[in-house]
């Protein structure tokens, strides 16, 4: 329970969802997303969500979702 309380306490401030970026050929543009997430970090955004709701995850394969999550988690 204490861990859950700590997590909720850290979810304060602006929460910014990350939209999925695609290239001209409709392929996943991980580089553009990395640049955007880096910019959000530079702006001191405390919570960045890579979520199904506001992204285009329904357009991605499971493999692309795993790749994207791993790439952005490294930042």
């Amino acid at each position: 329970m204490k861990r859950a309380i700590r997590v909720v306490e850290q979810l304060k401030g602006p929460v910014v969802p990350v939209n999925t970026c695609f290239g001209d050929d409709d392929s996943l543009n991980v580089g553009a997303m990395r640049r955007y997430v880096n910019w959000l970090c530079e702006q001191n955004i405390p919570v960045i969500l890579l979520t199904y709701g506001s992204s285009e995850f329904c357009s991605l394969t499971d493999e692309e979702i795993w790749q994207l999550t791993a790439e952005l988690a490294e930042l």
Side-chain angles (χ1 to χ4, degrees):
M1 184 67 163
K2 290 181 182 181
R3 181 174 182 227
I5 292 170
R6 285 195 312 266
V7 168
V8 170
E9 288 172 349
Q10 292 176 351
L11 295 177
K12 304 288 186 207
V15 176
V16 178
V18 177
N19 293 322
T20 305
C21 299
F22 295 95
D24 292 335
D25 62 353
D26 293 331
S27 64
L28 184 61
N29 188 336
V30 176
M33 295 184 72
R34 287 178 68 95
R35 289 189 296 277
Y36 180 56
V37 170
N38 276 326
W39 181 82
L40 290 172
C41 292
E42 290 169 359
Q43 305 310 307
N44 297 314
I45 300 299
V47 182
I48 300 170
L49 294 178
L50 184 61
T51 62
Y52 184 84
S54 62
S55 67
E56 289 294 324
F57 273 23
C58 59
S59 302
L60 303 178
T61 66
D62 288 342
E63 183 177 306
E64 289 172 321
I65 293 170
W66 281 103
Q67 173 198 3
L68 183 59
T69 303
E71 290 269 348
L72 298 180
E74 290 179 4
L75 302 175

